Amino acid sequence: MPHPVIFDTDMGVDDAFALTLAMAANALEVVGICTVGGNVGVDQATANAGRCLAALCPTTMPPVGRGRDPSDAGLPDATSIFGADGLGECGLPVPAGWACGDAQTVYETMLSRHPGELVVVAVGPLTNLGALLDENPSLLAKAQRLVIMGGAVFCPGNVTPKAEFNIYRDPIAAAKVLSSGLPITLVPLDVTRKVALDESHRAHLAASSTRGGRMLATMIEYPMSREPGRPGRFLVHDAVAVGVLLWPELFLQTRMAVRVAVDGPDRGRTVPVVGSRESSPVSVVLSVQVTDFVENLLELLCSEEFVV
């Protein structure tokens, strides 16, 4: 039986990559998609979810719930990397007549339907999860675990020298979630920065027989030309979080508490806390077998048995 997953996303190009990977995997069933503002505003993220689903044309269409924008105005988005629409300006249309529901309803329905089994894969700011902890604190306790792409534990950040984008956008929500005591796997920049695709990988996707492979090949052209300091590569950040579910044997994890700085010059910084009995430890992913991961990634996205 496939493992049920809710995908909580700010729906940029790397989110689309992760969603496509999750939907291609027989081991997972995406039972809901909840959107959040981050890479783009929540309305654009919600439209992007519909655009991707229409392009992928899955046998069973998961419900989409519109979530929230982080409350602080004027924060940076990722349109300089992912384009004005967040999806590399790839031209995918919003399907005619497409509509979405509410993120909280998706969470309530699916966690009640799959108690103790459902995994939340959160690859955007943690605004939706923070709101659930405020408004319905027992609900997330029904999840088997949360897999969160975010933070920079022992490495520099990507939005400030100390902070990673997802945590920086809503550090109050992140602090709430990471100290909640819920079973959490954190997938920080320390590991996601290790996995990059290049033009040969893009060409492989473009030549594939799958809808998802061809869609992603088009999407990643835009960010590949704009990766700061390293044009010609695409960091698959969010797909690494899905990979932790699919191929756990490829990853090294450790347990520690992680504290989040919520304001000031350290805003969004994720600080490891070692040896405190008062802290709530989480599993932190620190390294990955990159070659095997990329091979598995392309194999699944291209529906092939072996990738050279």
Side-chain angles (χ1 to χ4, degrees):
M1 290 289 290
H3 211 95
V5 167
I6 283 181
F7 193 73
D8 197 297
T9 172
D10 54 350
M11 223 52 216
V13 175
D14 57 336
D15 303 70
F17 217 99
L19 175 63
T20 304
L21 181 65
M23 296 191 74
N26 291 331
L28 303 178
E29 180 186 4
V30 179
V31 299
I33 300 171
C34 294
T35 60
V36 65
N39 287 323
V40 290
V42 69
D43 289 331
Q44 183 66 56
T46 306
N48 287 354
R51 297 166 73 198
C52 286
L53 287 174
L56 294 172
C57 197
T59 303
T60 302
M61 194 72 72
V64 176
R66 181 189 184 278
R68 308 190 183 202
D69 269 315
S71 57
D72 284 2
L75 293 176
D77 60 23
T79 55
S80 63
I81 300 297
F82 294 148
D85 69 345
L87 293 183
E89 301 182 11
C90 64
L92 286 180
V94 177
W98 183 79
C100 70
D102 174 71
Q104 183 162 329
T105 301
V106 173
Y107 272 107
E108 290 173 349
T109 301
M110 294 306 168
L111 283 166
S112 296
R113 188 174 297 173
H114 306 282
E117 299 177 353
L118 188 143
V119 174
V120 176
V121 178
V123 293
L126 299 180
T127 307
N128 292 336
L129 301 185
L132 286 176
L133 287 174
D134 283 339
E135 298 165 10
N136 193 348
S138 64
L139 186 61
L140 283 178
K142 296 181 181 179
Q144 184 188 92
R145 64 169 158 153
L146 315 180
V147 178
I148 296 168
M149 190 274 125
V153 181
F154 298 112
C155 71
N158 61 354
V159 67
T160 75
K162 298 177 180 178
E164 179 273 333
F165 180 87
N166 288 341
I167 305 299
Y168 182 84
R169 283 299 306 261
D170 196 337
I172 293 175
K176 199 173 299 177
V177 173
L178 290 175
S179 64
S180 66
L182 293 168
I184 291 172
T185 300
L186 186 68
V187 187
L189 289 181
D190 305 61
V191 62
T192 67
R193 273 193 173 127
K194 300 178 191 294
V195 184
L197 303 187
D198 60 24
E199 180 56 35
S200 69
H201 301 124
R202 194 199 70 78
H204 198 116
L205 291 166
S208 75
S209 62
T210 65
R211 293 173 181 264
R214 296 193 300 271
M215 178 188 78
L216 294 174
T218 300
M219 279 188 190
I220 67 175
E221 283 188 82
Y222 192 101
M224 284 183 77
S225 67
R226 288 162 173 80
E227 177 64 30
R230 294 286 298 275
R233 69 172 193 164
F234 173 68
L235 295 173
V236 300
H237 295 297
D238 295 342
V240 179
V242 176
V244 170
L245 287 176
L246 294 175
W247 310 299
E249 68 279 4
L250 299 184
F251 296 88
L252 176 66
Q253 304 184 37
T254 190
R255 286 188 65 78
M256 67 180 73
V258 177
R259 178 175 58 82
V260 179
V262 299
D263 54 23
D266 282 353
R267 175 193 171 110
R269 184 179 183 183
T270 43
V271 182
V273 180
V274 180
S276 173
R277 295 182 180 179
E278 298 179 3
S279 301
S280 300
V282 301
S283 294
V284 179
V285 181
L286 294 178
S287 68
V288 58
Q289 297 177 37
V290 175
T291 301
D292 290 341
F293 178 86
V294 172
E295 183 174 297
N296 286 355
L297 179 81
L298 293 176
E299 181 179 314
L300 191 50
L301 290 172
C302 299
S303 191
E304 296 170 346
E305 293 186 359
F306 182 72
V307 174
V308 177

